Amino acid sequence: NLPAVRYVIACILLWKLNSKVVIFSGKIIGGGMIRYLKSGGLLIGRTIAVLLTMTLSTSLAAREGPVPMAGHQLCLQVWLTISLLNDALALAGQALLATEYTKRNYKQARMVLYRVLQIGGVTGTALAIILFFGFGSFSSLFTDDPAVLGIAKSGVWFVAISQPINAVAFVVDGLYYGVSDFAYAAYSMFFAGAISSAFLLVAAPEFGLGGVWAGLILFMSLRAVAGLWRLGSKGGPWNSILSETDLRDKM
């Protein structure tokens, strides 16, 4: 039985690893675990806010009929696939920022912050240009139905224009996690999701797919603005990083 063998191997590996590194401890319930559960709960809530907003947009698009729905899904898949390329940049920024932040090397952390945001903006702009001129070729990979392609091509502005916004939003998400700013990441997402969902409920019945796409752009814009506002206000852990005096300069 292959699954049973895998479980046995996994248990053996964990047992051997636990002999070298403390994985299972009798002191599992403590301040560290409570903080872990709190942060995990915030991120679960944040994920739910994203899923609810995206699900609502899909539901409203489906009410337009099968052909508009197919065109919307084509646009959405291209939009998400290209946007998620920025996740690699966000993950790199998260790791680099976390490294410098834990060392209290705030000067280097600021450099990481600025460079990641700059690269994200440039990457998003480049993706927008590529998609604007190449969206027809990308969409033809999914279907040859002229009606669906016509709907999809009408969404090229939605897919292309939103890329710089998406890049900043995804990069800022990674920066949140690099300094454990989980509470703000969650609450700002709740706010963005609530405002965007209300907009979708009003705009989609009136403007169809245009209203749905406008709602999604609003959603990503609010995420990006919330992130930039957090950095600009120097709230929470960002106060230490964005202060002019590095801790090492004081020593």
Side-chain angles (χ1 to χ4, degrees):
N1 191 317
L2 187 57
V5 172
R6 289 176 176 172
Y7 277 114
V8 172
I9 293 174
C11 290
I12 293 173
L13 291 174
L14 287 173
W15 175 68
K16 294 293 291 182
L17 183 60
N18 193 53
S19 65
K20 300 179 181 297
V21 180
V22 178
I23 299 177
F24 306 108
S25 172
K27 300 179 180 179
I28 192 170
I29 303 299
M33 178 57 66
I34 292 173
R35 287 195 299 272
Y36 172 78
L37 293 175
K38 181 180 178 181
S39 299
L42 288 169
L43 293 182
I44 289 172
R46 178 186 177 281
T47 301
I48 291 173
V50 174
L51 291 176
L52 287 176
T53 305
M54 299 302 294
T55 301
L56 176 62
S57 68
T58 301
S59 173
L60 292 171
R63 297 178 185 181
E64 298 298 314
V67 173
M69 177 59 183
H72 170 73
Q73 281 300 110
L74 197 158
C75 284
L76 189 64
Q77 289 305 312
V78 174
W79 182 68
L80 288 174
T81 301
I82 300 300
S83 297
L84 288 174
L85 292 176
N86 292 294
D87 249 7
L89 179 60
L91 289 172
Q94 173 185 337
L96 292 171
L97 182 60
T99 299
E100 302 303 333
Y101 181 68
T102 53
K103 292 178 181 178
R104 298 188 178 183
N105 185 1
Y106 299 137
K107 183 177 181 180
Q108 190 66 26
R110 283 197 300 275
M111 184 177 295
V112 170
L113 170 65
Y114 297 144
R115 288 291 181 269
V116 171
L117 286 173
Q118 289 168 359
I119 295 172
V122 171
T123 302
T125 302
L127 290 173
I129 295 172
I130 292 171
L131 282 173
F132 183 78
F133 291 103
F135 185 76
S137 300
F138 286 122
S139 58
S140 62
L141 296 174
F142 294 89
T143 182
D144 56 2
D145 188 306
V148 174
L149 288 174
I151 294 292
K153 288 178 181 178
S154 68
V156 64
W157 286 101
F158 153 70
V159 176
I161 291 176
S162 61
Q163 289 309 311
I165 302 170
N166 295 353
V168 173
F170 280 113
V171 166
V172 169
D173 279 349
L175 297 177
Y176 286 147
Y177 304 150
V179 296
S180 301
D181 198 5
F182 300 120
Y184 185 81
Y187 296 138
S188 62
M189 187 65 73
F190 298 156
F191 173 78
I195 297 297
S196 302
S197 296
F199 179 88
L200 283 166
L201 290 171
V202 173
E206 185 71 23
F207 301 103
L209 289 182
V212 174
W213 293 333
L216 290 175
I217 292 177
L218 175 63
F219 180 53
M220 298 305 296
S221 298
L222 290 174
R223 290 174 59 180
V225 168
L228 295 176
W229 181 85
R230 180 66 161 176
L231 299 178
S233 65
K234 301 180 182 180
W238 302 105
N239 183 49
S240 300
I241 295 175
L242 296 173
S243 62
E244 293 299 323
T245 305
D246 193 292
L247 180 63
R248 293 187 175 187
D249 296 336
K250 299 179 181 179
M251 299 176 63

